[in-house]
Amino acid sequence: MMKKKFVLLALTLLLMATSQSPSWAGEILEKIKQTGVITAGTRKDAIPFAYVNEEGEWVGYSIDVLEIIRQDIEKKLGKPIQLKLVEVTPQNRFDKVKNREIDIECASSTFTWERDEVVDFSVSYFASGTKIFRKKGSDLGTIDSLAGRRIGVIPNTTNEQAIKLQQPAAILVPIKDRTEGLEKLNNGEIEAIAGDGIVLQGLRLENGNADKFEVVPEFPYMYEAYACMIPEDESAWRGMVNYSLVKFMEGIISDQPQQVEIYERWFGEETGVTPYSREAINDYFQGIVDGYEWIPLISY
């Protein structure tokens, strides 16, 4: 547990440093004020962060986070603001942000220094790490066990980079998404899928897969921090996004009912779609919040 807390703290400090880097005010906030619309990119296949449920509704933790941002922007600007959701994929999300086709992307995107050269990141609002999704009974698990084995990876993701770095002898097989990965795993074309542990747990619990598959190892091969992406040089817009996220995290830490309800809906150990330790996330959130002035929560 101490090792896990140390790594999460390191991620926290990293995201704090990057989120406070100098930038110049841009045009997005003014565009939102004029149009009354926030155009937000997100995913349809990233349980529990952003996905389409059985009723055809777009739901998830990241969707709720975007709604919190919308409410705060609406209050700040003093006019109705609509949230327009646009589907993005691992392949096109960075171009859509860079080209300003969307104002923000919130799903399960990980901060990296390389990505920070083309887009900006908000403070982190979740932490996960690369694990593998395997059939029960498989001997895959340790990083050494991946040598010479066929592992499905979505190209140009941090998960692909993590496996390449940690186990160069693994045979990486490109997959379009986790759905295709599951098909290849069932067909024997690959022996495991590499991905963010929390998202792989969502895949395991989806469609009755819980008894057939496992997500291993206990601790990730590499830890990662999730953050929203926005176009570069938009300090005013990023500042408002960060304000909403920090206030939300304060609410989790201090047990505010509205914020805790959102967390429990997706990650509660008894009620959540994909359980995740509240103690661990509280430690992570506390590290981020400590880098900012405390925000009064009375109006929430």
Side-chain angles (χ1 to χ4, degrees), residues 29-50:
L29 202 54
E30 183 62 28
K31 186 188 76 170
I32 292 171
K33 184 177 181 179
Q34 294 298 324
T35 64
V37 177
I38 298 172
T39 304
T42 192
R43 301 280 293 279
K44 285 189 174 180
D45 62 348
I47 298 173
F49 291 90

Side-chain angles (χ1 to χ4, degrees), residues 43 45 87 89-91 152-155 174-184 190 193 203:
R43 301 280 293 279
D45 62 348
E87 182 182 7
T89 67
Q91 293 77 25
V153 294
I154 299 175
I175 57 175
K176 178 182 177 182
D177 51 33
R178 281 173 284 274
T179 300
E180 182 179 82
L182 185 58
E183 293 176 359
K184 288 182 179 293
I190 58 176
I193 304 169
L203 180 63

Side-chain angles (χ1 to χ4, degrees), residues 43 98 122 135 172 204 210 214 229 233 251 253 277 281:
R43 301 280 293 279
K98 181 180 178 181
S122 70
K135 290 183 178 179
L172 302 186
R204 187 180 73 87
E214 297 174 313
M229 296 189 294
D233 302 332
I253 296 166
S277 167
I281 206 65

Side-chain angles (χ1 to χ4, degrees), residues 31-273:
K31 186 188 76 170
I32 292 171
K33 184 177 181 179
Q34 294 298 324
T35 64
V37 177
I38 298 172
T39 304
T42 192
R43 301 280 293 279
K44 285 189 174 180
D45 62 348
I47 298 173
F49 291 90
Y51 64 102
V52 177
N53 64 17
E54 294 179 355
E55 288 74 38
E57 301 168 324
W58 215 329
V59 297
Y61 174 69
S62 297
I63 305 298
D64 286 349
V65 165
L66 284 167
E67 174 59 20
I68 289 170
I69 294 170
R70 184 202 67 78
Q71 291 174 7
D72 285 345
I73 297 298
E74 184 173 81
K75 182 177 180 181
K76 181 71 174 179
L77 297 180
K79 61 176 293 183
I81 299 297
Q82 174 190 352
L83 182 64
K84 178 183 177 182
L85 297 178
V86 175
E87 182 182 7
V88 298
T89 67
Q91 293 77 25
N92 69 18
R93 54 187 165 165
F94 305 107
D95 285 340
K96 284 188 176 294
V97 174
K98 181 180 178 181
N99 297 335
R100 296 174 179 258
E101 297 175 50
I102 54 179
D103 304 320
I104 187 171
E105 189 269 358
C106 292
S108 55
S109 293
T110 301
F111 169 87
T112 71
W113 291 112
E114 182 180 14
R115 292 172 177 178
D116 193 50
E117 293 180 358
V118 295
V119 300
D120 274 341
F121 287 88
S122 70
V123 296
S124 174
Y125 62 96
F126 205 81
S128 185
T130 299
K131 296 187 177 185
I132 59 168
F133 181 90
R134 71 180 190 187
K135 290 183 178 179
K136 280 193 173 180
S138 169
D139 63 347
L140 291 176
T142 66
I143 197 66
D144 289 340
S145 71
L146 305 186
R149 310 293 282 273
R150 300 184 309 280
I151 310 299
V153 294
I154 299 175
N156 302 316
T157 60
T158 52
N159 309 124
E160 179 188 42
Q161 294 173 2
I163 301 300
K164 281 183 177 179
L165 179 65
Q166 299 288 332
Q167 183 48 269
I171 302 170
L172 302 186
V173 179
I175 57 175
K176 178 182 177 182
D177 51 33
R178 281 173 284 274
T179 300
E180 182 179 82
L182 185 58
E183 293 176 359
K184 288 182 179 293
L185 182 59
N186 282 323
N187 294 336
E189 297 177 57
I190 58 176
E191 299 174 78
I193 304 169
D196 292 350
I198 190 70
V199 178
L200 293 178
Q201 286 289 3
L203 180 63
R204 187 180 73 87
L205 296 172
E206 185 183 10
N207 300 323
N209 290 326
D211 295 331
K212 303 175 184 178
F213 301 98
E214 297 174 313
V215 177
V216 296
E218 178 181 2
F219 297 107
Y221 303 125
M222 184 176 293
Y223 282 91
E224 301 170 2
Y226 290 172
C228 297
M229 296 189 294
I230 64 173
E232 290 201 293
D233 302 332
E234 292 286 347
S235 63
W237 173 225
R238 184 175 62 175
M240 295 193 73
V241 169
N242 283 347
Y243 179 89
S244 294
L245 293 176
V246 169
K247 188 165 66 167
F248 170 69
M249 289 184 278
E250 282 186 16
I252 300 293
I253 296 166
S254 58
D255 289 322
Q256 300 298 308
Q258 183 177 347
Q259 288 82 7
V260 170
E261 180 183 357
I262 291 174
Y263 186 85
E264 292 294 322
R265 181 184 308 147
W266 305 111
F267 305 110
E269 296 189 24
E270 295 183 3
T271 61
V273 173

